Amino acid sequence: MQSDKIKPRYPTKQIYVGNVAIGGDAPISVQSMTFSKTHNIEETKAQLDRLQLAGADIVRLAVLTEEDAHALKTLKSMTSLPLIADIHFKYKLALIAAESVDCIRINPGNIGSKEKIKEVVKACNVRNIPIRIGVNGGSLEKEFEQKYGPTPKGMVESALYNIKLLEDFGFTNIKVSLKASDAPRTIEAYELLRPLVPYPFHLGVTEAGTLYHSMIKSSIALGNLLMQGIGDTMRCSITGELEEEIKLAKSILRYSGRQKEGITIVSCPTCGRIQADLVSAIKRVETRLAHIKTPLQVSVMGCAVNALGEAKHADIAIAFGNKIGHIIKGGKVLAKMSEDSIVDRFVEEVEILAAEREKEA
């Protein structure tokens, strides 16, 4: 059941990064970024393959040198994933990259003069590829930094300036990001800009840290924005991770109510009331149901206090008691079994239910 706290998504212009629609009524796409040197074809291709297997919709690659820029053409021929070239400082690299990739990301604070940006716009127009204006709270243009500091207001003013700059060049194939390294500034910047422009937003917290820190920052910032109806594509930045970025982003989408895919598991906190090995059971359930894409609400509860109540709200549930568990589907008990054998039967029943739902869809 979806909460009325989840607002409808803001209507935005729809653009395409390769074959992936962003904005409008398109599903919210999930992105990541390779951390190999892009000119290392073998290593970068391996990371692209890992991200595709993990479920990434789009991947961004760093372009630091001409060797990186020229490598993009080869990499593009080796993957079906849409690729974004990440360009800083050297606008000429964007001109090379635009010949083969599906989108160019520039940080207006460091790309250079209007004339340089105009050249990037021309190159993108030739192949009808979008530009992401990537505003970063830590690298604003000097005029905005001096006037506002690294604040949401400064980030928004930078975005508005650069959006107008592209529009003045006749370019509207745009998406925008407003990233800070903390959740409050990130949230406020996106909230301030959203009513002012029609373009789709790329959500993210920049420099979010290692897995633990990113999980907290990204969940707070991106979950908050998604529930407000803000956001059309997203990346959860995690130091040194690839697949975990995709896993975290998809989890935030699911638990914010924006993505109807996969298993949502409810399990109780451990306490002295538990009379079964709940920790082991839930780990086995998570692992064995990870492949299921059908949206299902699954409950695994460890004692009689909350188990039956949660089971009523779940599609299918395990309600443990004293070394015994009940499998409950649609409010009815399917089986009563020992905790040693119940997970195997439960997994079978979930797979059957998923197949039934797929046929109904």
Side-chain angles (χ1 to χ4, degrees), residues 269-334:
T270 50
C271 75
R273 294 193 303 264
I274 292 175
Q275 294 177 295
D277 187 0
L278 179 67
V279 175
S280 174
I282 193 65
K283 286 181 179 178
R284 290 164 61 200
V285 167
E286 279 189 317
T287 300
R288 294 182 61 183
L289 297 182
H291 66 288
I292 292 179
K293 303 300 182 186
T294 308
L296 292 174
Q297 179 93 359
V298 168
S299 171
V300 182
M301 302 294 287
C303 81
V305 174
N306 294 315
L308 295 178
E310 286 294 341
K312 292 177 183 177
H313 301 294
D315 293 301
I316 189 166
I318 295 177
F320 280 115
N322 184 13
K323 306 295 182 181
I324 296 293
H326 295 77
I327 296 177
I328 301 169
K329 176 182 175 184
K332 296 180 180 180
V333 175
L334 288 182

Side-chain angles (χ1 to χ4, degrees), residues 151-219:
T151 63
K153 177 66 173 174
M155 294 163 67
V156 168
E157 290 300 320
S158 172
L160 290 172
Y161 171 81
N162 287 287
I163 288 169
K164 186 176 186 305
L165 185 59
L166 295 191
E167 290 176 336
D168 287 346
F169 294 142
F171 192 85
T172 60
N173 197 1
I174 297 169
K175 60 189 174 98
V176 185
S177 64
L178 297 155
K179 296 185 179 183
S181 57
D182 59 88
R185 282 189 302 156
T186 298
I187 292 168
E188 186 177 349
Y190 282 107
E191 288 175 337
L192 287 172
L193 185 62
R194 181 65 286 170
L196 305 180
V197 298
Y199 303 110
F201 280 1
H202 170 109
L203 301 186
V205 177
T206 191
E207 299 146 6
T210 54
L211 178 59
Y212 173 79
H213 296 285
S214 180
M215 285 177 69
I216 296 170
K217 291 182 185 180
S218 298
S219 296

Side-chain angles (χ1 to χ4, degrees), residues 13 26 58 91 115 133 211 236 272 295:
K13 173 184 173 72
I58 299 168
Y91 83 101
E115 285 304 310
I133 295 174
L211 178 59
C236 293

